């Protein structure tokens, strides 16, 4: 994990619901500005990595934007290989 991935992940946690880790939808431009990144592309790269390794879940929905750009994606914070569903119902842990 790079420092950039870690800082984007931690900042995403600041935007998520405190109790559930859901409903996290800061704009990429906002994240870039708060972290001192020069472009939103750096944020997108980190978000893709966090999704790929299981720390973020893209819900497939967006929050509408008032401006000319698309709305922000809604993410949930997740834990890789976590033995429960996002709704809290138990799942059996299956090992190979």
């Amino acid at each position: 994990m790079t420092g950039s991935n870690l800082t984007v992940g931690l900042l995403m946690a600041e935007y998520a619901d405190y109790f559930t880790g859901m409903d996290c939808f800061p704009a990429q431009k906002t994240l870039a500005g708060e972290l001192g990144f020069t472009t939103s592309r750096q944020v997108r790269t980190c978000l893709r990595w966090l999704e790929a390794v299981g720390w973020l879940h893209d819900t497939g929905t967006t929050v509408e934007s008032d401006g000319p750009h698309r709305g922000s994606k809604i993410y949930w914070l997740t834990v890789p290989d976590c033995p429960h569903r996002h709704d809290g119902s138990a799942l059996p842990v299956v090992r190979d």
Side-chain angles (χ1 to χ4, degrees):
M1 175 181 287
T2 66
S4 295
N5 292 335
L6 177 61
T7 55
V8 170
L10 290 172
L11 189 54
M12 289 293 282
E14 289 289 322
Y15 280 97
D17 179 88
Y18 180 79
F19 295 103
T20 65
M22 297 176 171
D23 299 328
C24 180
F25 50 90
Q28 292 175 6
K29 186 175 181 178
T30 300
L31 294 172
E34 288 188 25
L35 294 170
F37 290 175
T38 55
T39 66
S40 296
R41 174 178 275 184
Q42 293 170 282
V43 171
R44 277 193 302 277
T45 300
C46 293
L47 291 173
R48 282 191 210 116
W49 185 86
L50 290 164
E51 283 182 73
V53 298
W55 288 106
L56 284 179
H57 170 71
D58 180 353
T59 64
T61 57
T62 58
V63 175
E64 294 301 318
S65 173
D66 294 335
H69 304 288
R70 295 185 345 201
S72 297
K73 287 184 176 184
I74 299 175
Y75 291 96
W76 291 350
L77 302 179
T78 56
V79 177
D81 298 321
C82 189
H84 65 277
R85 294 183 196 266
H86 295 290
D87 64 5
S89 62
L91 279 177
V93 177
V94 179
R95 302 278 184 217
D96 291 333

